[in-house]
């Protein structure tokens, strides 16, 4: 069963907190806010044939062993993560970081700008693992790309899990529960725009 908690369990909170120079409680709340937004961005991509192929390519490009035995943050390619975040949110990237930053308070925006590129490869590696049926033996491309709706279905399940399964509403509602209503509304509009504007 795909589970949001299972995804979170793959994120090395203590290592990320150390890299960002914050305590674990701050890192945890930032991660809990950022991951549903990344999932929403990926879902917007998955819903578009051309962007969906790009997303599947990115999933297939993640090191298969990244999640094995727990993620070592030093093995996460943040340059690649930066490109993934750019590709996912495009011109709205700064709006996303700004809205997420308001959740963390203080240096929230700077924190999120550094955090998203750390999380993106971990989330994509997790999607790849789930697309391959949870194992790590299959090789990237065909496994991740098999079954057109696979990645989209996994993303939908994860986003539902982010709200404890109580998410009858749209993406804005899901994000509202994850990051607070004001930020959720802004982010819901951004991601709704991404869903609507992809050609």
């Amino acid at each position: 069963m795909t589970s949001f908690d299972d995804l979170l369990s793959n994120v090395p909170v203590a290592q990320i907190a150390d890299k960002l120079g914050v305590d674990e409680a701050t890192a945890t709340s930032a991660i809990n806010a950022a991951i549903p937004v990344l999932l929403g961005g990926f879902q917007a991509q998955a819903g578009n044939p051309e962007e969906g192929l790009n997303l599947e390519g990115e999933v297939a490009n993640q090191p298969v062993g990244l999640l094995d035995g727990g993620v070592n943050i030093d093995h996460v390619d943040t340059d690649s993560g930066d490109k993934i975040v750019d590709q996912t949110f495009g011109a709205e990237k700064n709006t996303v970081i700004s809205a997420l930053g308001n959740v963390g308070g203080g240096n929230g925006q700077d924190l999120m700008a550094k955090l998203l590129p750390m999380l993106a490869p971990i989330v994509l590696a997790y999607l790849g693992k789930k697309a391959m049926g949870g194992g790590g033996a299959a090789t990237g491309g065909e496994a991740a790309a098999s079954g057109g709706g696979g990645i989209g279905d996994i993303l939908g399940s994860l986003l539902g899990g982010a709200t404890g399964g109580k998410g009858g509403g749209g993406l804005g509602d899901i994000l509202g529960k994850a990051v607070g209503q004001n930020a959720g509304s802004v982010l819901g509009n951004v991601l709704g725009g991404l869903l609507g504007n992809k050609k």
Side-chain angles (χ1 to χ4, degrees), residues 90-110:
E92 299 290 357
K93 175 181 163 185
N94 289 337
T95 309
V96 169
I97 288 170
S98 175
L100 274 172
N102 292 334
V103 178
N107 297 330
Q109 292 184 22
D110 186 44

Side-chain angles (χ1 to χ4, degrees), residues 46-117:
N48 174 288
E50 192 178 318
E51 295 283 341
L53 283 176
N54 289 341
L55 177 65
E56 287 178 354
E58 289 292 353
V59 167
N61 284 339
Q62 299 311 309
V64 174
L66 183 66
L67 303 179
D68 294 349
V71 175
N72 181 336
I73 200 68
D74 291 328
H75 295 165
V76 174
D77 183 349
T78 51
D79 289 339
S80 167
D82 216 20
K83 289 188 191 114
I84 294 163
V85 173
D86 280 343
Q87 181 180 304
T88 303
F89 299 115
E92 299 290 357
K93 175 181 163 185
N94 289 337
T95 309
V96 169
I97 288 170
S98 175
L100 274 172
N102 292 334
V103 178
N107 297 330
Q109 292 184 22
D110 186 44
L111 188 80
M112 286 297 177
K114 292 175 183 164
L115 178 62
L116 288 170

